[in-house]
Each structure stands twice: as structure tokens, then as C-alpha cells.
Amino acid sequence: MKKIERTAALRAAITAVRREGGQVGLVPTMGFLHDGHVRLIRQAADECDFVVVSVFVNPLQFGPTEDYETYPRDIEGDMMKAAAAGADVVFCPDVQDMYPDGPPLTSVRVAGISEPLCGAGRPGHFDGVATVVTKLFGLCEPDRAYFGMKDAQQLALVSRLARDLSFRVQVVPCATVREPDGLALSSRNKYLSEQERKTAPAIYAALLEAAELVVHGERDPRIVSIELRQRFAREQCLDIEYAEVRDAGTIAALDHLSGDVLLAVAARVGRTRLIDNVVLHIDGEKVEMEAGEIQGEP
Ligand code: PAF
């Protein structure tokens, strides 16, 4: 596996693969890879001839008071995990190489999807995500790009962006990976103290309880979100930012639950902001739940 730090070298590597007719898979990450990322890389390696894992902590998507400086970084560990999972290249440019003219004057905004939920608490965040993902799509020209379902709003945004801007990439959603107690894997779990780590699985438990209401026939989104919030009110160490029920594809608010529905939560556990969700596929009385996979289980 190769480490590539310059955009020009990445383009050359991609051109060589394309010349041979190879299919390129892209796994965009900010590094500090965990088993959730490893799953994305493995799936990409199964489905593509050449897999690029980008590791870039993108300053555009962090607010001025957020954790850009302290975001966990471990490029040596990332290289080992990416290689073991089947990556061909780890692309880890520095900020100067990605944004040689300073902060870009061009910004990509996916209107509507960017504003609610995480967009409300993190103004500008999704413009930063959309801009860097657009750059990565331009640089790699991937046939497939792999995104985790834990970031459901990001997944909806990237899927829409790819369609709106006519990238020929197929955006592949991959299941959330969870610890045995249900906590969704995240690079930020590293910030949790021992006590906070014990509290954090309550987020997933609350989502499952609210999802059960829908499974048992509730179709009023207000009732489901009230239940979700009430469940959190019982948790003293969780500070809820939002707990909402939305359309999974457009992130629009709903009057009635049907189709692909997202139950989404952002909460602070101590100083750490965590997000999680479950997706419900509702067809009349039938409800299928996509809640992710427990680490280590087949
Ligand atoms: O999900 C992430 O790690 C980031 O938002 C992404 C997609 C790599 C863009 O920086």
C-alpha cells in the first residue's frame, strides 16, 4: 500500500488505474480509523480494483470553537489499518496541498439538507463537508464512494450532491458499527471519561425505544419525537441537542411516517458531542429497521 501526500501524485496514480480499465473506490475519512472505517475499506476492496482512503482533517467543516486542533490524529495507525483492510493508497494531503490558495472562494452548499439537525448546531459545517467531498470526487473520480450511515445527514447530503453535480460516482451507504453495548463507533468516543462512556449507550437505547413505537403502529412523528426527548430527559448526564424524526433522503420534516424515515439524535455527553440514528423503512404496516451492526457479530 502506498502513502500519497500530494494531489498531483494522486491524480497520476488514478490515471494509471483508469488506463488499465480499473474501478476506483474512495473511502473519505478524517483519520483515526476505527472498525466502522475498516468495514468501509473492506467493502470497497471487495467491490473495486483500486481503493483510495483519504485521511484529511478538513478545517472547512469545523467551527471556530470546535475541536479542529485537537481532533485525534494517528497517521501511522491509520496506514496499518487501511493496509490490513485492503486499501491501495492512503491519501493524506496537508491543508496547503488541498487548499493551495488559502480558504477556497468556491463553496458547495446542498440547500435544505445542510440546515436542519447538525447544520443548525454547526453552522457552515455541511458546506465544508460538501466542498471537500466535491474536491475529493474531482481528484479521485471514483466509481464508488463509501459513507457510513451513522452520519445519516452527511450521507443524504453527499448522495444529493453527487446527483445534482452529475458525478458518475455511486454513493454506497454502509451500516453503522456499534460496540457490544450499542454505542456507535466514532473517533470522538476517545474523548469520553469512564463514567461518560457508561452513559453514552443510552442514546442508542432511546432510539430503539422510539423505533419500537413505530414498529407497533405509531405514524405520528410528533409523538415519536416527544417519546425520544422524554427518554433523554430521564438521563441526567446527557444534554440533548436535537432528537428528531425526518425523511431519510431529504432530511425534511414529516407530517406522517412513511417511506424511509430517520430517527436522529445529537447529544453532549460531558463535553463530547455524539450523534446517532436508526432508519426505518415503512411500507404500510410493515416496518424494517436499519440500526447498524454490533462489532464482532457476523
Ligand atoms: O465523515 C467524515 O469523516 C468527514 O465529514 C468527511 C466525509 C471525510 C469529509 O471531511
Side-chain angles (χ1 to χ4, degrees), residues 28-30 56 58 61 129 132-133 147 151 154:
T29 81
M30 297 204 300
F56 179 62
N58 171 38
Q61 69 190 74
V129 171
V132 80
V133 168
F147 290 86
D151 297 297
Q154 171 172 283

Side-chain angles (χ1 to χ4, degrees), residues 27-31 37 54-59 61-62 71 99 122 125-126 128-130 132-133 136 146-148 151 154 158 187:
V27 183
T29 81
M30 297 204 300
H37 297 115
S54 62
V55 173
F56 179 62
V57 184
N58 171 38
Q61 69 190 74
F62 288 80
Y71 193 85
Y99 303 118
R122 305 184 68 188
H125 166 71
F126 284 118
V129 171
V132 80
V133 168
L136 290 168
Y146 296 81
F147 290 86
D151 297 297
Q154 171 172 283
V158 170
S187 304

